[in-house]
Short mmCIF file of all heavy atoms in Angstrom, two decimals:
data_model
loop_
_atom_site.label_atom_id
_atom_site.label_comp_id
_atom_site.label_asym_id
_atom_site.label_seq_id
_atom_site.Cartn_x
_atom_site.Cartn_y
_atom_site.Cartn_z
N ARG E 1 2.72 2.94 12.13
CA ARG E 1 2.12 4.00 12.95
C ARG E 1 2.41 5.37 12.36
O ARG E 1 1.50 6.21 12.22
CB ARG E 1 2.67 3.92 14.37
CG ARG E 1 2.17 5.01 15.30
CD ARG E 1 2.81 4.86 16.68
NE ARG E 1 2.30 5.85 17.61
CZ ARG E 1 2.64 5.92 18.90
NH1 ARG E 1 3.51 5.04 19.39
NH2 ARG E 1 2.13 6.85 19.68
N TRP E 2 3.66 5.59 11.99
CA TRP E 2 4.08 6.89 11.43
C TRP E 2 3.34 7.17 10.12
O TRP E 2 2.81 8.28 9.92
CB TRP E 2 5.58 6.85 11.21
CG TRP E 2 6.16 8.02 10.48
CD1 TRP E 2 6.24 9.30 10.92
CD2 TRP E 2 6.77 7.99 9.19
NE1 TRP E 2 6.86 10.08 9.98
CE2 TRP E 2 7.20 9.30 8.91
CE3 TRP E 2 7.01 6.99 8.26
CZ2 TRP E 2 7.83 9.63 7.72
CZ3 TRP E 2 7.65 7.31 7.09
CH2 TRP E 2 8.05 8.61 6.81
N VAL E 3 3.28 6.18 9.24
CA VAL E 3 2.62 6.37 7.94
C VAL E 3 1.14 6.69 8.12
O VAL E 3 0.59 7.58 7.45
CB VAL E 3 2.80 5.09 7.07
CG1 VAL E 3 1.84 5.12 5.88
CG2 VAL E 3 4.23 4.98 6.57
N ILE E 4 0.49 5.98 9.06
CA ILE E 4 -0.95 6.17 9.25
C ILE E 4 -1.25 7.44 10.05
O ILE E 4 -2.14 8.21 9.69
CB ILE E 4 -1.57 4.92 9.93
CG1 ILE E 4 -1.49 3.72 8.97
CG2 ILE E 4 -3.02 5.17 10.32
CD1 ILE E 4 -1.88 2.39 9.59
N GLU E 5 -0.50 7.67 11.13
CA GLU E 5 -0.79 8.86 11.95
C GLU E 5 -0.42 10.16 11.24
O GLU E 5 -1.00 11.21 11.54
CB GLU E 5 -0.05 8.75 13.30
CG GLU E 5 -0.65 7.68 14.20
CD GLU E 5 -0.06 7.72 15.62
OE1 GLU E 5 0.93 8.44 15.83
OE2 GLU E 5 -0.61 7.01 16.49
N GLN E 6 0.52 10.08 10.29
CA GLN E 6 0.83 11.26 9.48
C GLN E 6 -0.17 11.40 8.33
O GLN E 6 -0.03 12.29 7.49
CB GLN E 6 2.26 11.15 8.91
CG GLN E 6 3.36 11.23 9.96
CD GLN E 6 3.34 12.54 10.72
OE1 GLN E 6 3.32 13.62 10.14
NE2 GLN E 6 3.32 12.45 12.05
N ASP E 7 -1.15 10.52 8.30
CA ASP E 7 -2.24 10.54 7.32
C ASP E 7 -1.73 10.49 5.88
O ASP E 7 -2.19 11.22 5.00
CB ASP E 7 -3.12 11.78 7.52
CG ASP E 7 -4.51 11.59 6.91
OD1 ASP E 7 -4.90 10.43 6.65
OD2 ASP E 7 -5.21 12.61 6.70
N MET E 8 -0.77 9.58 5.63
CA MET E 8 -0.23 9.43 4.28
C MET E 8 -0.79 8.22 3.54
O MET E 8 -0.74 8.17 2.31
CB MET E 8 1.30 9.31 4.35
CG MET E 8 1.99 10.60 4.72
SD MET E 8 3.80 10.49 4.60
CE MET E 8 4.20 9.59 6.09
N LEU E 9 -1.31 7.24 4.27
CA LEU E 9 -1.78 6.01 3.63
C LEU E 9 -3.18 6.21 3.05
O LEU E 9 -4.14 6.42 3.78
CB LEU E 9 -1.78 4.85 4.62
CG LEU E 9 -2.17 3.48 4.06
CD1 LEU E 9 -1.24 3.06 2.93
CD2 LEU E 9 -2.17 2.42 5.18
N GLU E 10 -3.27 6.17 1.72
CA GLU E 10 -4.56 6.33 1.05
C GLU E 10 -5.28 5.00 0.89
O GLU E 10 -6.47 4.88 1.20
CB GLU E 10 -4.36 6.92 -0.35
CG GLU E 10 -4.31 8.41 -0.38
CD GLU E 10 -4.55 8.96 -1.79
OE1 GLU E 10 -4.74 8.20 -2.74
OE2 GLU E 10 -4.55 10.19 -1.92
N ALA E 11 -4.56 4.00 0.37
CA ALA E 11 -5.22 2.74 0.05
C ALA E 11 -4.22 1.60 0.02
O ALA E 11 -3.02 1.81 -0.21
CB ALA E 11 -5.93 2.84 -1.30
N ILE E 12 -4.72 0.39 0.25
CA ILE E 12 -3.96 -0.84 0.03
C ILE E 12 -4.82 -1.77 -0.81
O ILE E 12 -6.00 -1.98 -0.51
CB ILE E 12 -3.57 -1.53 1.36
CG1 ILE E 12 -2.69 -0.61 2.20
CG2 ILE E 12 -2.86 -2.85 1.09
CD1 ILE E 12 -2.31 -1.18 3.55
N ILE E 13 -4.22 -2.29 -1.89
CA ILE E 13 -4.95 -3.16 -2.81
C ILE E 13 -4.35 -4.56 -2.73
O ILE E 13 -3.15 -4.75 -3.00
CB ILE E 13 -4.86 -2.64 -4.26
CG1 ILE E 13 -5.39 -1.21 -4.34
CG2 ILE E 13 -5.62 -3.56 -5.22
CD1 ILE E 13 -5.08 -0.51 -5.66
N ALA E 14 -5.15 -5.55 -2.34
CA ALA E 14 -4.69 -6.94 -2.30
C ALA E 14 -4.77 -7.52 -3.71
O ALA E 14 -5.82 -7.46 -4.36
CB ALA E 14 -5.56 -7.75 -1.35
N LEU E 15 -3.66 -8.08 -4.18
CA LEU E 15 -3.57 -8.61 -5.54
C LEU E 15 -3.78 -10.13 -5.54
O LEU E 15 -3.63 -10.79 -4.51
CB LEU E 15 -2.20 -8.29 -6.14
CG LEU E 15 -1.84 -6.80 -6.24
CD1 LEU E 15 -0.39 -6.64 -6.70
CD2 LEU E 15 -2.78 -6.08 -7.18
N PRO E 16 -4.09 -10.71 -6.70
CA PRO E 16 -4.21 -12.17 -6.78
C PRO E 16 -2.87 -12.85 -6.50
O PRO E 16 -1.81 -12.27 -6.74
CB PRO E 16 -4.65 -12.42 -8.23
CG PRO E 16 -5.14 -11.10 -8.73
CD PRO E 16 -4.39 -10.05 -7.99
N ASN E 17 -2.93 -14.08 -6.01
CA ASN E 17 -1.71 -14.88 -5.87
C ASN E 17 -1.22 -15.31 -7.26
O ASN E 17 -1.95 -15.21 -8.24
CB ASN E 17 -1.98 -16.13 -5.03
CG ASN E 17 -2.20 -15.79 -3.57
OD1 ASN E 17 -2.01 -14.65 -3.14
ND2 ASN E 17 -2.60 -16.77 -2.79
N ASP E 18 0.01 -15.80 -7.32
CA ASP E 18 0.59 -16.34 -8.56
C ASP E 18 0.66 -15.30 -9.68
O ASP E 18 0.53 -15.62 -10.86
CB ASP E 18 -0.20 -17.57 -9.06
CG ASP E 18 -0.26 -18.66 -8.02
OD1 ASP E 18 0.75 -18.85 -7.33
OD2 ASP E 18 -1.30 -19.33 -7.90
N LEU E 19 0.89 -14.04 -9.30
CA LEU E 19 0.91 -12.95 -10.27
C LEU E 19 2.33 -12.61 -10.71
O LEU E 19 2.53 -12.05 -11.78
CB LEU E 19 0.24 -11.72 -9.64
CG LEU E 19 -0.19 -10.57 -10.53
CD1 LEU E 19 -1.18 -11.03 -11.59
CD2 LEU E 19 -0.81 -9.46 -9.70
N PHE E 20 3.31 -12.97 -9.86
CA PHE E 20 4.70 -12.59 -10.12
C PHE E 20 5.51 -13.78 -10.64
O PHE E 20 5.16 -14.93 -10.41
CB PHE E 20 5.34 -12.02 -8.86
CG PHE E 20 4.85 -10.64 -8.52
CD1 PHE E 20 3.62 -10.45 -7.90
CD2 PHE E 20 5.58 -9.52 -8.85
CE1 PHE E 20 3.14 -9.19 -7.60
CE2 PHE E 20 5.13 -8.25 -8.56
CZ PHE E 20 3.91 -8.07 -7.95
N PHE E 21 6.62 -13.46 -11.31
CA PHE E 21 7.43 -14.50 -11.94
C PHE E 21 8.15 -15.39 -10.93
O PHE E 21 8.36 -16.57 -11.18
CB PHE E 21 8.49 -13.85 -12.86
CG PHE E 21 7.89 -13.10 -14.01
CD1 PHE E 21 7.77 -11.73 -13.98
CD2 PHE E 21 7.45 -13.77 -15.13
CE1 PHE E 21 7.22 -11.03 -15.04
CE2 PHE E 21 6.89 -13.09 -16.20
CZ PHE E 21 6.78 -11.72 -16.15
N ASN E 22 8.54 -14.81 -9.79
CA ASN E 22 9.41 -15.56 -8.88
C ASN E 22 8.76 -15.90 -7.55
O ASN E 22 9.42 -16.37 -6.63
CB ASN E 22 10.71 -14.80 -8.63
CG ASN E 22 10.49 -13.46 -7.96
OD1 ASN E 22 9.37 -12.95 -7.95
ND2 ASN E 22 11.53 -12.88 -7.41
N THR E 23 7.47 -15.65 -7.39
CA THR E 23 6.80 -16.00 -6.15
C THR E 23 5.29 -16.10 -6.37
O THR E 23 4.73 -15.36 -7.19
CB THR E 23 7.08 -14.97 -5.04
OG1 THR E 23 6.41 -15.38 -3.85
CG2 THR E 23 6.60 -13.58 -5.43
N GLY E 24 4.65 -16.98 -5.62
CA GLY E 24 3.20 -17.10 -5.71
C GLY E 24 2.50 -16.53 -4.50
O GLY E 24 1.29 -16.67 -4.35
N ILE E 25 3.26 -15.85 -3.61
CA ILE E 25 2.71 -15.38 -2.35
C ILE E 25 1.76 -14.19 -2.54
O ILE E 25 1.72 -13.57 -3.60
CB ILE E 25 3.81 -15.00 -1.35
CG1 ILE E 25 4.64 -13.83 -1.92
CG2 ILE E 25 4.69 -16.18 -1.03
CD1 ILE E 25 5.67 -13.27 -0.94
N ALA E 26 1.04 -13.88 -1.46
CA ALA E 26 0.13 -12.73 -1.47
C ALA E 26 0.92 -11.43 -1.56
O ALA E 26 1.95 -11.27 -0.89
CB ALA E 26 -0.72 -12.74 -0.21
N THR E 27 0.45 -10.52 -2.40
CA THR E 27 1.12 -9.23 -2.59
C THR E 27 0.10 -8.09 -2.53
O THR E 27 -1.10 -8.31 -2.79
CB THR E 27 1.87 -9.17 -3.93
OG1 THR E 27 0.98 -9.57 -4.98
CG2 THR E 27 3.08 -10.09 -3.92
N TYR E 28 0.59 -6.92 -2.22
CA TYR E 28 -0.29 -5.76 -2.00
C TYR E 28 0.34 -4.50 -2.57
O TYR E 28 1.55 -4.32 -2.49
CB TYR E 28 -0.54 -5.55 -0.49
CG TYR E 28 -1.11 -6.75 0.21
CD1 TYR E 28 -0.28 -7.81 0.60
CD2 TYR E 28 -2.48 -6.84 0.48
CE1 TYR E 28 -0.80 -8.93 1.24
CE2 TYR E 28 -3.00 -7.96 1.12
CZ TYR E 28 -2.16 -9.00 1.50
OH TYR E 28 -2.68 -10.10 2.12
N ILE E 29 -0.49 -3.63 -3.12
CA ILE E 29 -0.03 -2.30 -3.55
C ILE E 29 -0.44 -1.30 -2.48
O ILE E 29 -1.63 -1.20 -2.14
CB ILE E 29 -0.64 -1.90 -4.90
CG1 ILE E 29 -0.16 -2.83 -6.02
CG2 ILE E 29 -0.28 -0.45 -5.24
CD1 ILE E 29 -0.84 -2.58 -7.35
N TRP E 30 0.52 -0.57 -1.94
CA TRP E 30 0.25 0.53 -1.01
C TRP E 30 0.30 1.83 -1.81
O TRP E 30 1.26 2.09 -2.53
CB TRP E 30 1.30 0.59 0.09
CG TRP E 30 1.34 -0.57 1.05
CD1 TRP E 30 1.24 -1.89 0.75
CD2 TRP E 30 1.54 -0.49 2.47
NE1 TRP E 30 1.36 -2.65 1.89
CE2 TRP E 30 1.55 -1.81 2.95
CE3 TRP E 30 1.73 0.56 3.37
CZ2 TRP E 30 1.72 -2.11 4.31
CZ3 TRP E 30 1.91 0.27 4.72
CH2 TRP E 30 1.89 -1.05 5.18
N VAL E 31 -0.74 2.66 -1.66
CA VAL E 31 -0.79 3.97 -2.31
C VAL E 31 -0.75 5.03 -1.22
O VAL E 31 -1.59 5.03 -0.31
CB VAL E 31 -2.06 4.13 -3.16
CG1 VAL E 31 -2.07 5.50 -3.86
CG2 VAL E 31 -2.18 3.01 -4.19
N LEU E 32 0.25 5.91 -1.29
CA LEU E 32 0.41 6.95 -0.27
C LEU E 32 0.44 8.33 -0.91
O LEU E 32 0.85 8.49 -2.07
CB LEU E 32 1.72 6.74 0.51
CG LEU E 32 1.79 5.58 1.49
CD1 LEU E 32 2.07 4.26 0.78
CD2 LEU E 32 2.88 5.82 2.54
N SER E 33 0.03 9.32 -0.13
CA SER E 33 0.05 10.71 -0.59
C SER E 33 0.26 11.61 0.62
O SER E 33 -0.25 11.33 1.71
CB SER E 33 -1.28 11.05 -1.27
OG SER E 33 -1.36 12.44 -1.54
N ASN E 34 1.01 12.70 0.43
CA ASN E 34 1.16 13.67 1.52
C ASN E 34 0.27 14.90 1.30
O ASN E 34 0.43 15.91 1.97
CB ASN E 34 2.63 14.08 1.70
CG ASN E 34 3.21 14.76 0.47
OD1 ASN E 34 2.50 15.05 -0.50
ND2 ASN E 34 4.51 15.02 0.50
N HIS E 35 -0.65 14.77 0.36
CA HIS E 35 -1.64 15.84 0.14
C HIS E 35 -2.97 15.20 -0.27
O HIS E 35 -3.47 15.41 -1.37
CB HIS E 35 -1.15 16.87 -0.88
CG HIS E 35 -0.88 16.29 -2.25
ND1 HIS E 35 -1.49 16.80 -3.39
CD2 HIS E 35 -0.11 15.27 -2.68
CE1 HIS E 35 -1.08 16.10 -4.44
NE2 HIS E 35 -0.24 15.18 -4.03
N LYS E 36 -3.54 14.45 0.65
CA LYS E 36 -4.79 13.73 0.37
C LYS E 36 -5.93 14.68 0.00
O LYS E 36 -5.99 15.81 0.49
CB LYS E 36 -5.23 12.94 1.62
CG LYS E 36 -4.50 11.65 1.88
CD LYS E 36 -5.15 10.95 3.06
CE LYS E 36 -4.51 9.60 3.36
NZ LYS E 36 -5.20 8.93 4.50
N ALA E 37 -6.83 14.16 -0.83
CA ALA E 37 -8.05 14.91 -1.12
C ALA E 37 -8.85 15.03 0.17
O ALA E 37 -8.72 14.20 1.09
CB ALA E 37 -8.88 14.18 -2.18
N GLU E 38 -9.70 16.04 0.25
CA GLU E 38 -10.43 16.33 1.49
C GLU E 38 -11.22 15.13 2.00
O GLU E 38 -11.23 14.84 3.20
CB GLU E 38 -11.37 17.52 1.26
CG GLU E 38 -11.76 18.27 2.52
CD GLU E 38 -10.57 18.86 3.27
OE1 GLU E 38 -9.64 19.38 2.63
OE2 GLU E 38 -10.59 18.78 4.51
#
């Protein structure tokens, strides 16, 4: 709630499974900024 209501969350990217050495689970990249483009 805090991250979204403070308008810091720009994007979330869902990655393929089996991408990491020690886990095959679903993973995501969160991209945040405190000075978003207009």
Side-chain angles (χ1 to χ4, degrees):
R1 177 182 183 177
W2 172 67
V3 165
I4 293 172
E5 289 189 350
Q6 293 299 309
D7 202 17
M8 289 187 283
L9 184 59
E10 273 198 359
I12 299 177
I13 303 168
L15 300 173
N17 289 352
D18 302 322
L19 195 59
F20 286 79
F21 296 100
N22 62 343
T23 181
I25 63 174
T27 51
Y28 303 80
I29 295 173
W30 294 43
V31 181
L32 288 80
S33 171
N34 62 7
H35 61 124
K36 282 185 178 182
E38 203 60 41

